[in-house]
Amino acid sequence: MDKITGFEGISFENPPQPYWMAQWKTTDYPVLDKDIKVDVAVVGGGIVGITAAYLLKQENLTVAVIEADKIVQGTTGHTTAKITSQHSLIYSKLIKHLGKEKAQQYADANEYAIAFIEGLINEKQIDCDFSRQDAYVYTHSEKYIKQIQSEVEAASSLGIKAYYEEELPLPFKIKAAERFDNQAQFHPRKYIAALARDIPGDGSYIFEQSRAVDFHEGNPCKVIIEGGQTVTAGKVIIASHFPAYGSSGYYFARMYPERSYVLGLTIKEKFPGGMYITAEDPGRSLRFTPYENGQLVLMGGEHHKTGQGPNTDIHYKNLMKFAKETYEVTGIPYRWSTQDYTTLDDVPYVGNITSKSPDVYVATGFKKWGMTNGTVSAILLKDLIVKGESPWAPVYNPSRFEGDPMIKNFASANFDVVKHLIGDKLKAVSKDMDIKPGEAKIVVHDDEKVGIYKDEKNKIHAVNVTCTHMGCDLAWNTAELSWDCPCHGSRFTYEGDIIEGPALKTLRTDDPLKFNP
């Protein structure tokens, strides 16, 4: 990978890796190698899947968590781990579009999730750097002042301790800010790993490196693993970030994927505490975590639709520029990016995957607010399975359709998909196969588009760049060395393996010798 520099004497050359994953030992749960039967199968080992499985086992149900990679290495392992009910400027919009009752459900659910996480941490004595912090949404723009004032009023009307501010304990001036008191932050892998340890045993399991590739709904349901093994279950929770088996619910048309970026910085100054995010684009997020007897400042932002936009290295460089302007930076030991899906009305889809699927459940579309919404999802789904109801079910109902803003966002999101599905097929592609180490390009070979990447050792890696989900052309992601789908967010390594779905099949590889100049 090319060296990325932004400051005199400061650079990073190592591949991106989240701080949470580098600082915590990997798990070692078994691969599923035989057919099994449980009460509930849970596809996905992030905060939703592990928390739901933990809660269901507490209700004396047998569960099996089926994870394609290692648990807590997907979106949950790439978060900034803010535990907050402050999801940007959402409550005034919820009251306007969904009504006060459903906005209250959303506020109550996310406030409850903060207390629930803290309660589990105290009960189980989990050492995961949990601390209560105030959370802020701030702006440098005059046009957001009234929106922030309206948001403070909306949140306060729902019982949240929200306040209007004109100053922050940060080294720059602002126009306005909203403060939520008594929110929280933690180390997500330490927390989830502690819950996971209580799941296996007494007929319950966690399986890693066990990719679910097919699903048969029925009574009972069957989840088919890549090696041919079958998990038979009365109920199934699909908590795999994107519901690849939910085609009848048209989730691919009701969400869009975005990526964002994080730098883990050491700075000369002392970070004052608190969690911060801008109201306006391109987005700037700040918080700290304990690090080597000091602090690691997590600086995030730069969101964009997956597979779209300029060279993705520019996003790290923009964050580095902001860091230099804000602090005296002494090092950048970590950097990473993350991906999440946003629904048509900014509220996650949690509940029965379709209105005609009483035994299949889904949780998706967290818009980067997965620590509380993921916990809410696990509690909600446990209640639906055990009790048949939840007080939060109406606002999260996956089958909802509110005319405004969902119609407008549906049209916009799907126009964008069609633009790439058709337009990218018509783009002219070079036949020039000359490529430098660390670079990638799409070329035409034997009337087929092929993505070639030359690594730093001059080895060529060639794959077919047609996404195996719905056939869109993939785009090269320089920052992560991956092939990304601009339509629905599937991502693949340069060797064709799946990084994240909804794709269920790897890319077809080609003979690299064909592409040596």
Side-chain angles (χ1 to χ4, degrees):
M1 180 184 298
D2 291 341
K3 180 184 290 188
I4 303 174
T5 58
F7 318 111
E8 183 178 349
I10 298 176
S11 64
F12 40 80
E13 299 178 342
N14 295 325
Q17 184 180 34
Y19 166 72
W20 322 118
M21 293 168 65
Q23 293 294 316
W24 187 249
K25 58 183 179 295
T26 187
T27 51
D28 190 27
Y29 292 101
V31 175
L32 178 59
D33 59 3
K34 62 182 180 181
D35 296 347
I36 63 167
K37 184 176 182 180
V38 291
D39 294 322
V40 184
V42 180
V43 181
I47 190 167
V48 177
I50 296 298
T51 307
Y54 170 84
L55 293 175
L56 289 165
K57 188 176 181 184
Q58 299 298 305
E59 298 287 342
N60 297 314
L61 295 173
T62 57
V63 297
V65 177
I66 307 157
E67 168 56 45
D69 192 2
K70 297 283 189 177
I71 64 167
V72 206
Q73 288 199 176
T75 303
T76 303
H78 289 71
T79 177
T80 54
K82 297 176 181 178
I83 310 170
T84 178
S85 60
Q86 186 190 70
H87 300 166
S88 192
L89 305 178
I90 193 170
Y91 291 104
S92 56
K93 289 188 287 188
L94 291 183
I95 291 172
K96 178 181 178 181
H97 297 301
L98 303 183
K100 185 74 174 286
E101 182 179 357
K102 289 182 179 178
Q104 188 71 63
Q105 292 171 13
Y106 189 89
D108 290 348
N110 283 278
E111 282 285 294
Y112 181 86
I114 302 170
F116 175 87
I117 290 171
E118 183 176 31
L120 264 186
I121 289 169
N122 291 335
E123 174 191 333
K124 299 175 68 60
Q125 298 185 326
I126 303 171
D127 180 9
C128 60
D129 302 325
F130 178 90
S131 65
R132 288 281 186 167
Q133 303 284 332
D134 293 342
Y136 300 82
V137 178
Y138 68 92
T139 185
H140 296 292
S141 171
E142 294 279 353
K143 74 176 186 177
Y144 281 94
I145 294 176
K146 287 187 177 180
Q147 290 186 43
I148 287 176
Q149 290 172 338
S150 296
E151 183 69 7
V152 170
E153 292 176 7
S156 297
S157 75
L158 299 172
I160 295 173
K161 295 179 180 178
Y163 304 93
Y164 181 80
E165 302 282 357
E166 293 182 342
E167 294 181 349
L168 293 179
L170 296 176
F172 49 72
K173 293 185 181 299
I174 62 166
K175 296 292 184 182
E178 171 193 52
R179 185 185 88 238
F180 279 17
D181 283 352
N182 215 25
Q183 308 295 291
Q185 62 185 30
F186 69 165
H187 189 305
R189 280 180 60 80
K190 291 180 179 179
Y191 170 74
I192 297 297
L195 300 188
R197 284 193 288 270
D198 285 353
I199 295 172
D202 300 320
S204 292
Y205 313 87
I206 295 177
F207 297 107
E208 296 181 325
Q209 304 292 322
S210 303
R211 183 179 297 278
V213 295
D214 202 0
F215 170 70
H216 301 298
E217 185 176 353
N219 187 16
C221 301
K222 294 183 182 296
V223 180
I224 314 302
I225 308 304
E226 196 168 34
Q229 297 82 11
T230 299
V231 179
T232 301
K235 309 282 186 180
V236 174
I237 293 174
I238 298 177
S240 54
H241 198 202
F242 187 102
Y245 315 103
S247 59
S248 58
Y250 297 101
Y251 287 89
F252 63 86
R254 299 198 289 135
M255 299 191 297
Y256 61 89
E258 283 194 334
R259 297 198 66 71
S260 56
Y261 300 79
V262 184
L263 298 181
L265 308 167
T266 54
I267 61 174
K268 189 173 182 179
E269 301 90 337
K270 179 176 175 58
F271 191 80
M275 307 181 297
Y276 308 84
I277 193 167
T278 54
E280 63 265 32
D281 290 338
R284 293 291 181 262
S285 168
L286 290 159
R287 65 156 284 200
F288 82 96
T289 189
Y291 176 69
E292 294 184 354
N293 298 316
Q295 296 175 315
L296 186 73
V297 176
L298 306 185
M299 180 176 289
E302 292 288 310
H303 65 91
H304 65 89
K305 286 190 175 180
T306 303
Q308 302 182 32
N311 185 319
T312 46
D313 274 345
I314 191 66
H315 301 296
Y316 285 126
K317 292 177 180 177
N318 288 342
L319 288 175
M320 292 169 78
K321 182 175 183 293
F322 175 63
K324 181 181 180 181
E325 293 169 349
T326 307
Y327 295 110
E328 186 173 342
V329 178
T330 57
I332 312 175
Y334 299 99
R335 63 182 171 116
W336 67 91
S337 68
T338 187
Q339 179 165 305
D340 210 351
Y341 288 84
T342 298
T343 69
L344 298 178
D345 61 1
D346 295 343
V347 176
Y349 300 131
V350 186
N352 293 100
I353 195 165
T354 71
S355 59
K356 298 179 180 179
S357 303
D359 298 321
V360 185
Y361 304 85
V362 69
T364 188
F366 297 139
K367 198 185 179 182
K368 307 182 187 76
W369 301 110
M371 297 301 97
T372 49
N373 267 324
T375 302
V376 167
S377 299
I379 298 168
L380 192 161
L381 296 178
K382 182 267 295 182
D383 284 346
L384 290 182
I385 290 171
V386 175
K387 303 176 183 178
E389 60 182 5
S390 165
W392 310 326
V395 68
Y396 288 99
N397 182 4
S399 298
R400 69 184 182 273
F401 194 88
E402 307 292 338
D404 183 19
M406 295 183 93
I407 291 176
K408 181 178 70 174
N409 291 339
F410 179 87
S412 174
N414 286 283
F415 174 81
D416 196 52
V417 169
V418 172
K419 179 182 73 175
H420 286 280
L421 182 61
I422 298 175
D424 290 353
K425 300 291 184 186
L426 302 177
K427 285 183 179 178
V429 177
S430 173
K431 293 186 178 181
D432 180 10
M433 297 185 188
D434 184 34
I435 186 171
K436 298 177 182 178
E439 291 184 349
K441 68 182 344 182
I442 296 176
V443 300
V444 172
H445 183 76
D446 292 339
D447 296 323
E448 182 179 280
K449 288 184 180 180
V450 178
I452 56 174
Y453 166 68
K454 180 182 284 188
D455 65 26
E456 298 294 348
K457 296 180 180 179
N458 289 312
K459 181 180 178 181
I460 292 287
H461 306 265
V463 296
N464 183 295
V465 289
T466 300
C467 181
T468 58
H469 175 227
M470 292 185 71
C472 292
D473 282 0
L474 304 175
W476 179 247
N477 178 339
T478 306
E480 313 301 321
L481 303 184
S482 62
W483 293 105
D484 297 357
C485 179
C487 294
H488 305 109
S490 294
R491 299 181 59 237
F492 304 84
T493 69
Y494 54 74
E495 294 180 330
D497 294 326
I498 298 170
I499 298 174
E500 53 190 309
L504 296 174
K505 295 180 181 179
T506 59
L507 299 178
R508 181 168 56 80
T509 57
D510 213 327
D511 182 2
L513 295 178
K514 295 179 183 178
F515 306 98
N516 284 318

